[in-house]
Amino acid sequence: MSFYQYLQQATAAEREYLLSAPVIAACQRGEVSLGLYRAFLAQAYHHVSHTVPLLMAAGARMPASHEWVRQALVEYIAEEYGHQEWILNDLRACGGDAEAVRQGRPGQAIELMVAFLYHQIDRHNPMALFGMVQVLEGTSVAIALTVSGQLRQELKLPEQAMSYLSSHGALDQEHLRFFAGLMDRVTAVEDQEAIVHAARVVYRLYGDMLRSLEVADGAE
């Protein structure tokens, strides 16, 4: 079994926790409000705005033996740079207050997720960052395209209000193939353990964020 296959198997329960969030099924049924979509974009902004800083932090911590990983991180940075601004543009296009989100704070689950990742990179093993990549890109491929289509249809939103979800569903299919090949080059047990542990934690916290959206949802 390759490490990528093992990673899928070892995190199956946590992935199911994320994918079983009621809000995902509600979106697929078309039972979603504009307030809920805005709440999701706000939380997405607060973790996506840390993607490039996290990648940079991990690259700076990589030992010389992991130069091949640092090269991959450079590619990720080039791909991911500025995506938080896409989210703010989507918010503006659907009537949200983008600047209030920019200046605001994330919900507890996203705040803990980001803090956990910085801690793993700084104090434990920078390879843990790939646990986040496993969750966020895998989740995008699994749900983004389906959910974005349903949201556009039910909320009658213009395409410019859906750029983050729509683009990531397609883009992350390519990223996921690249990620699988990269993970299959990870042979050190301590690196594998760090990635699996981080993926399990991020699946749980991202799942908690999705569940919190039902509370944050407005009546619009």
Side-chain angles (χ1 to χ4, degrees):
M1 182 186 297
S2 71
F3 174 58
Y4 179 72
Q5 290 172 325
Y6 173 74
L7 178 59
Q8 307 314 305
Q9 184 182 89
T11 60
E14 291 79 12
R15 182 166 55 255
E16 179 56 29
Y17 176 75
L18 187 160
L19 294 175
S20 65
V23 68
I24 294 178
C27 287
Q28 291 170 337
R29 293 192 304 268
E31 298 170 2
V32 62
S33 70
L34 185 57
L36 188 146
Y37 179 53
R38 289 173 182 164
F40 167 76
L41 289 176
Q43 295 310 304
Y45 170 80
H46 286 296
H47 73 76
V48 172
S49 65
H50 286 277
T51 298
V52 169
L54 283 164
L55 289 164
M56 289 178 167
R61 292 282 185 175
M62 290 293 169
S65 61
H66 286 52
E67 190 62 32
W68 60 277
V69 179
R70 200 175 351 252
Q71 180 181 0
L73 293 174
V74 170
E75 294 185 39
Y76 273 119
I77 289 168
E79 289 280 356
E80 297 295 329
Y81 186 79
H83 287 193
Q84 73 275 13
E85 295 300 325
W86 296 5
I87 297 171
L88 295 183
N89 290 337
D90 287 350
L91 268 167
R92 294 185 188 98
C94 65
D97 189 338
E99 291 310 308
V101 170
R102 190 197 300 274
Q103 301 301 324
R105 296 176 66 94
Q108 186 178 73
I110 293 300
E111 188 167 23
L112 289 173
M113 186 180 94
V114 170
F116 165 78
L117 290 165
Y118 280 117
H119 182 71
Q120 294 301 301
I121 290 167
D122 291 341
R123 296 302 181 95
H124 294 283
N125 187 333
M127 291 293 285
L129 179 71
F130 290 105
M132 177 195 76
V133 178
Q134 153 74 7
V135 174
L136 298 182
E137 294 198 346
T139 301
S140 292
V141 170
I143 66 174
L145 286 176
T146 301
V147 168
S148 65
Q150 286 293 101
L151 285 171
R152 185 183 297 116
Q153 180 178 341
E154 295 300 322
L155 298 178
K156 306 296 189 291
L157 292 173
E159 287 188 15
Q160 59 265 36
M162 306 293 300
S163 61
Y164 173 69
L165 278 179
S166 298
S167 64
H168 277 66
L171 184 63
D172 287 344
Q173 291 182 38
E174 298 177 20
H175 284 185
L176 205 55
R177 286 191 289 271
F178 176 77
F179 174 70
L182 188 67
M183 289 299 94
D184 285 344
R185 296 178 64 185
V186 178
T187 57
V189 172
E190 61 270 23
D191 290 344
Q192 293 179 349
E193 290 177 346
I195 294 167
V196 169
H197 173 62
R200 286 171 171 162
V201 172
V202 174
Y203 270 128
R204 283 283 172 180
L205 290 172
Y206 201 85
D208 288 344
M209 180 275 284
L210 292 176
R211 284 164 170 78
S212 77
L213 293 180
E214 298 170 86
V215 177
D217 182 17
E220 295 177 80

